[in-house]
Amino acid sequence: MTVMLPPLVPDEVEADELAPRADCVADSAGGLTFDLADLGLPGAAYLLLRLRDRQPHGAPARETRLPLTPAADGRLRAVLPSSVQLAEGRWDVYVDHGDAAPRRLSPGVNDLRSLVDRMPSGTRPHTAVRIPYATKHGNLTVRAWHRAPHAEAGELLISGAELTVRGRLFGVPFSPRAHAELRERTGTAAPRRVEVTVTGADFGLTVAYAALTGGPGTWDLWLLPQGTGGPAARVARLLDDVADKKPIFTYPEVRTGTVAVGPYYTRDNDLALRVTPTV
Amino acid sequence: MHISFLIHNAYGIGGTIRTTYNLANTLAEQHDVEVVSVNRHRDDPVFEVDPRVRVRHLVDIRKGTAGYEGDSPEYHRPARVFPRAEGRFDQYNALTDRRIADHLATVEADVLVGTRPGLNVHIARQARSGPLRVGQEHLTLDSHSKALRAQLRGVYPRLDALTTTTEADAGAYRGKMRLPGVRVHSMGNPVPEPGVAPADGTGKWVVAAGRLAPVKRYDLLIRAFDQVRRQRPDWRLRIYGGGRQKDALRTLIDELGLYNHVFLMGPAHPIEPEWAKGSIAAVTSSLESFGMTIVEAMRCGLPVVSTDCPHGPGEIINNGVDGRLVPVGDVNAIAGGLLELINDDELRGRMASAALHDSQRFDPARIAERYESLFTELTGRTGSGGRIGRLRGSVHRSRGALLGGAYAVRAAGRAALRKGRTA
C-alpha cells in the first residue's frame, strides 16, 4: 500500500518518555507478534509500520497497517506474518488510533530467541528476515530484508593473506557455472572472479587479498549461483537476532604491502572487504 | 508497620536503587512504605514504583527548576555528620546534614532502613528514639577503607540490625566489628521472576553479562572458550555489557582466532531475553559482592558456571546441583566446567531445572518476608497481615505483569538507561 502520510516523528527525535511500549516475540518462520497496553482509546487501533524514507523529501511513504486486536490481560496484539512482504529497510513502528497523529512506539521486551541460529527450510524462492530493535534514540524499529535468492554467510576464516567464506544458498539451486564476484563499489576497478566450491546448498570460497591490493577500495561480494547472466545474491549475514552486525561481527585486518585488507559487515549486514592504506 | 527507607538518590539507576524499589514495592503490599531520597536530580524515578510507595526527597538538585538548592551556601560547606571516608562524601554537605537530621528527628515510622554506610551512620546517630534502626550494607566490609571501617565501628553498635547481601559478609561484620546487641543478618538481593519464558536449553550458546571491567575477568572466559571450541566448535559465547576493557578483549578474541565463536554484544536492556537465548551462563569474576547476574541467569533457567570468588557465588550456587563452582583465576577449570555442562545434555537439563527452582528464594516476596520477620521480631509487634507467604511479590506470570518484573523501568527511565551503564 502506498499513500501520502502526514509528517510523522522522525527517528532523530529522542524517544517520547511516555511513549507506549510494545513487546515483540519472533517466531522461527520470520513472523512477529507485537503486544502493547490497551490505551483505552475509542475506535479501531492499528500497528503502523512506516518505511524510513531514503527517497527525496515529499515522496510518498510506504506503510503497512496491522489491526490491533484484544489479547489476554487487557493488551492489544498485532501479528506480522512472514507472508506479508516488507521491502528491505528500516520500518519505524507506530500505534495509530485514527483520531490523532500516530504515536511512535518504544521497545519493551523483544523475545527473539527463535531467530538465533535460524535455518529456513530453503523451499521458498525468497528469504524474508525481520528483526525488531531499539534505535539509538530508543524507538522501536523493524529491520527488514527480502532476498531472492539469498546467500547467507557463515564462518569467516582469515589465514595469511586469504579470506575463506563459508555459507549457504537459499532460493535457487547451484549450477556448474556457479562462481562469485568481488565488485569494487565505485566501479573504478574491474570485478574479480572468485571460484566457489559447492556441496548441496552449502558453498565455500576463498578470496586472495593479493587480487585486491592495487589500491584503496571497498569490494562487495556477490554470489552468482548459476553463473553470469543468472540471478545474483549479495553475500550477507541475516539469519539471526542481531539487527546490526557491524559492531559485533568484526574481523582482523591483514597488512599486505602498503595496505590493510579485512572483511566487515555493512550497515545492511552485507559482507564486504575494505582495502585501506597503512601509511 | 510503617517502614521508611533512606537512600542517596531514589531517582538514579544503580543496583542499590533497583534493589530498594524491588523490596519497597513488595513490602508495600502489607505495610506503609516510603522511600526518602536525600537528593533529587530528576523529576521521576527511573524504576517503576508501586503507587502505594511514597517517594520524597530532602534536597532538590534539579538544575533550572524553582526548587533548586544547589546554590545554597550550606550546600557548599562540607558535611560533618556524613562520614568523611565514605565513597559519596563529596556529594554530602551541611545542607544534607541538616535535612537528614531534621527528617530523622521527626520521622513517623516503626522502622528506619539506611541503604549505604553514610546513611546508616546518620540513622545510628540521629534517629529519634522509637523507630527500629536498620542499616543495609550493599557492598562488603572488606571493600570499605580502613578509615571507614574505623568510623563505622564506633557508630554501628547503635543500630538495632545490620543486613548484608551474603552470609560471608555477615560473618565478617560479626567477627571484625564487635557489634553487641546488633542483629546481623544476610538477606540476599531480590531478583524478580523474568517476564520471558525460561531458556529451553537447546541453544548452543554460553552467555555472560556484566560491565567489561577487569574484576569480571572476561579475559579468562575468552581464553577458556578457546579450549571449549577446540572440543566443541558448535558452541559459541556471547558477552553482554560495555566498558573500558572492550578494546583489549576484542584484541584477545582476534589474537586467539575466536571471531567466529566469541561475540562482544554491547549493553542490553532488558537482559532477560538475552539470557533466555543461552543454555549456560558464565561468571569468571575475581570478586562479586553478591552476584546479581548469577541469580538473574538462574531465574531464566540457566545453570551457571562461576568462579568460587568472594562473596556471593558460593552462597547462590549449589555446586553440582544447580550450577558449577570452579576455582578463581583458573582457565582450565573454567573450560572444564563449561565442557562438563556442554557435553552432558542430561546433566545440563537437570541443573537448569534446579537453577530455576532454587533461585526462587531470591524472589522479592521471599526476601521481603525475611525483612518482615526481622522487623516484626525486633519491634515485638505483629504485622497487619498473616504469616509467611502473604507477600505476593512478583510471583505471577501473566503477560500484563511482564513489564512489572525485572525490567520495571519507567518510560522516563529508558533514555537514562541507554546512557547509563547497564549490562
Side-chain angles (χ1 to χ4, degrees):
Chain A
M1 176 164 37
T2 300
V3 291
M4 290 297 289
L5 281 176
L8 301 184
V9 182
D11 189 62
E12 287 65 35
V13 170
E14 188 75 15
D16 178 355
E17 296 209 332
L18 299 173
R21 185 159 43 177
D23 297 331
C24 188
V25 178
D27 64 55
S28 55
L32 298 176
T33 301
F34 300 86
D35 278 0
L36 57 157
D38 190 345
L39 301 176
L41 298 173
Y46 292 89
L47 196 81
L48 171 65
L49 299 170
R50 188 195 189 218
L51 184 63
R52 202 177 297 167
D53 217 340
R54 283 190 202 164
Q55 304 169 55
H57 190 68
R62 275 194 279 180
E63 62 158 26
T64 292
R65 263 168 212 276
L66 306 166
L68 278 161
T69 55
D73 307 316
R75 291 165 69 79
L76 295 173
R77 173 168 292 182
V79 178
L80 176 66
S82 54
S83 54
V84 171
Q85 192 175 327
L86 289 185
E88 277 207 31
R90 291 178 165 78
W91 293 78
D92 294 335
V93 186
Y94 300 79
V95 60
D96 184 2
H97 279 276
D99 56 339
R103 296 184 68 187
R104 196 81 165 84
L105 288 169
S106 71
V109 177
N110 283 338
D111 188 344
L112 308 184
R113 72 184 82 184
S114 63
L115 296 183
V116 181
D117 303 321
R118 190 180 155 214
M119 189 49 70
S121 65
T123 54
R124 291 169 191 269
H126 68 270
T127 301
V129 177
R130 298 87 191 268
I131 308 176
Y133 70 101
T135 70
K136 64 180 174 184
H137 297 289
N139 296 304
L140 177 63
T141 295
V142 174
R143 190 68 175 87
W145 287 265
H146 188 90
R147 299 273 165 107
H150 169 53
E152 174 76 7
E155 290 197 345
L156 307 189
L157 299 163
I158 294 148
S159 176
E162 281 186 350
L163 166 69
T164 298
V165 179
R166 293 183 184 141
R168 177 171 283 193
L169 176 68
F170 297 90
V172 293
F174 279 109
S175 88
R177 300 171 59 224
H179 67 274
E181 252 179 33
L182 284 161
R183 299 176 184 169
E184 210 288 313
R185 199 170 290 170
T186 59
T188 53
R192 307 287 200 261
R193 183 186 166 104
V194 181
E195 299 307 325
V196 299
T197 55
V198 172
T199 311
D202 293 332
F203 65 89
L205 60 87
T206 297
V207 176
Y209 290 166
L212 309 176
T213 51
T218 303
W219 297 81
D220 294 324
L221 182 59
W222 291 81
L223 185 67
L224 300 151
Q226 295 168 357
T228 309
R234 275 299 292 274
V235 177
R237 188 174 185 116
L238 307 180
L239 297 174
D240 64 20
D241 58 321
V242 179
D244 185 12
K245 303 289 188 293
K246 194 173 184 176
I248 295 171
F249 292 75
T250 71
Y251 302 88
E253 288 191 320
V254 173
R255 283 174 171 237
T256 167
T258 58
V259 293
V261 187
Y264 74 100
Y265 285 102
T266 69
R267 61 194 296 272
D268 294 327
N269 292 352
D270 292 322
L271 183 60
L273 284 119
R274 189 164 32 207
V275 182
T276 49
T278 53
V279 281
Chain B
M1 263 183 288
H2 183 156
I3 302 161
S4 179
F5 288 88
L6 182 61
I7 191 166
H8 170 68
N9 186 341
Y11 301 85
I13 297 174
T16 297
I17 303 165
R18 174 151 70 153
T19 297
T20 300
Y21 280 124
N22 275 333
L23 182 58
N25 289 348
T26 309
L27 287 168
E29 290 174 15
Q30 295 292 336
H31 302 283
D32 187 3
V33 180
E34 69 172 354
V35 174
V36 177
S37 180
V38 175
N39 294 294
R40 181 180 199 172
H41 75 299
R42 54 183 290 141
D43 288 342
D44 295 303
V46 169
F47 296 105
E48 203 99 49
V49 186
D50 187 292
R52 291 168 289 195
V53 175
R54 296 187 312 285
V55 182
R56 61 190 174 96
H57 65 273
L58 301 177
V59 176
D60 191 339
I61 50 171
R62 281 173 289 178
K63 288 201 174 98
T65 67
Y68 180 67
E69 298 178 286
D71 294 331
S72 146
E74 264 186 301
Y75 187 81
H76 295 279
R77 286 205 299 275
R80 307 184 71 148
V81 178
F82 194 90
R84 188 172 293 275
E86 224 262 27
R88 294 245 185 230
F89 178 73
D90 288 349
Q91 289 163 272
Y92 284 76
N93 47 66
L95 184 60
T96 58
D97 271 0
R98 180 163 65 81
R99 291 280 168 78
I100 297 170
D102 290 350
H103 162 63
L104 293 173
T106 56
V107 61
E108 287 293 328
D110 301 304
V111 182
L112 292 170
V113 183
T115 53
R116 57 176 304 117
L119 298 176
N120 298 341
V121 167
H122 269 282
I123 288 174
R125 289 178 56 179
Q126 298 179 314
R128 69 178 180 84
S129 63
L132 203 62
R133 301 168 176 196
V134 180
Q136 286 181 329
E137 284 282 359
H138 290 270
L139 295 176
T140 59
L141 178 58
D142 60 12
S143 68
H144 295 333
S145 68
K146 203 173 167 187
L148 181 60
R149 288 201 296 266
Q151 286 175 323
L152 299 181
R153 192 175 284 122
V155 181
Y156 271 9
R158 291 189 233 174
L159 293 172
D160 295 298
L162 184 70
T163 69
T164 61
T165 58
T166 62
E167 272 307 330
D169 197 39
Y173 276 95
R174 287 186 202 110
K176 295 178 189 167
M177 291 285 273
R178 285 187 294 278
L179 300 169
V182 182
R183 293 284 296 272
V184 182
H185 268 256
S186 161
M187 288 298 186
N189 276 342
V191 176
E193 181 176 42
V196 293
D200 66 7
T202 59
K204 294 177 177 179
W205 288 94
V206 176
V207 180
R211 280 174 302 115
L212 304 184
V215 70
K216 301 293 181 187
R217 297 306 309 267
Y218 288 130
D219 56 323
L220 299 179
L221 178 56
I222 291 166
R223 288 183 192 283
F225 213 80
D226 191 23
Q227 296 185 24
V228 170
R229 67 98 180 236
R230 285 171 204 284
Q231 202 181 111
R232 292 300 301 263
D234 50 334
W235 279 71
R236 284 153 298 162
L237 167 67
R238 286 181 167 187
I239 302 174
Y240 290 90
R244 277 186 286 177
Q245 284 241 295
K246 182 169 184 181
D247 290 347
L249 296 173
R250 179 77 254 164
T251 302
L252 181 62
I253 291 167
D254 288 346
E255 276 172 11
L256 296 172
L258 283 168
Y259 44 80
N260 288 306
H261 287 88
V262 179
F263 301 94
L264 300 177
M265 304 299 292
H269 185 90
I271 188 66
E272 286 78 0
E274 310 310 325
W275 289 124
K277 291 169 185 170
S279 292
I280 300 169
V283 173
T284 48
S285 306
S286 53
L287 182 73
E288 287 283 346
S289 63
F290 174 61
M292 200 81 133
T293 58
I294 298 174
V295 183
E296 279 175 0
M298 290 170 76
R299 297 223 69 176
C300 292
L302 268 63
V304 184
V305 175
S306 173
T307 46
D308 190 10
C309 67
H311 297 268
E315 294 181 25
I316 298 169
I317 293 171
N318 187 355
N319 189 22
V321 175
D322 57 20
R324 175 58 77 200
L325 292 168
V326 297
V328 179
D330 185 338
V331 170
N332 293 335
I334 296 165
L338 292 172
L339 282 165
E340 180 192 12
L341 271 67
I342 286 171
N343 287 331
D344 190 339
D345 293 347
E346 198 270 328
L347 172 72
R348 191 171 72 248
R350 207 165 57 230
M351 283 188 176
S353 302
L356 210 50
H357 176 269
D358 294 352
S359 58
Q360 287 173 12
R361 71 185 188 277
F362 297 100
D363 192 88
R366 307 275 281 273
I367 302 290
E369 279 163 14
R370 293 165 65 96
Y371 275 98
E372 190 179 48
S373 305
L374 176 69
F375 298 163
T376 303
E377 191 183 325
L378 290 175
T379 54
R381 306 168 196 218
T382 51
S384 54
R387 284 308 309 167
I388 302 296
R390 67 196 165 207
L391 292 170
R392 188 174 56 97
S394 69
V395 190
H396 47 89
R397 197 188 263 276
S398 71
R399 279 296 278 178
L402 192 150
L403 294 174
Y407 358 90
V409 175
R410 296 180 63 263
R414 279 176 246 143
L417 270 168
R418 281 198 309 283
K419 290 164 192 157
R421 42 160 198 84
T422 52

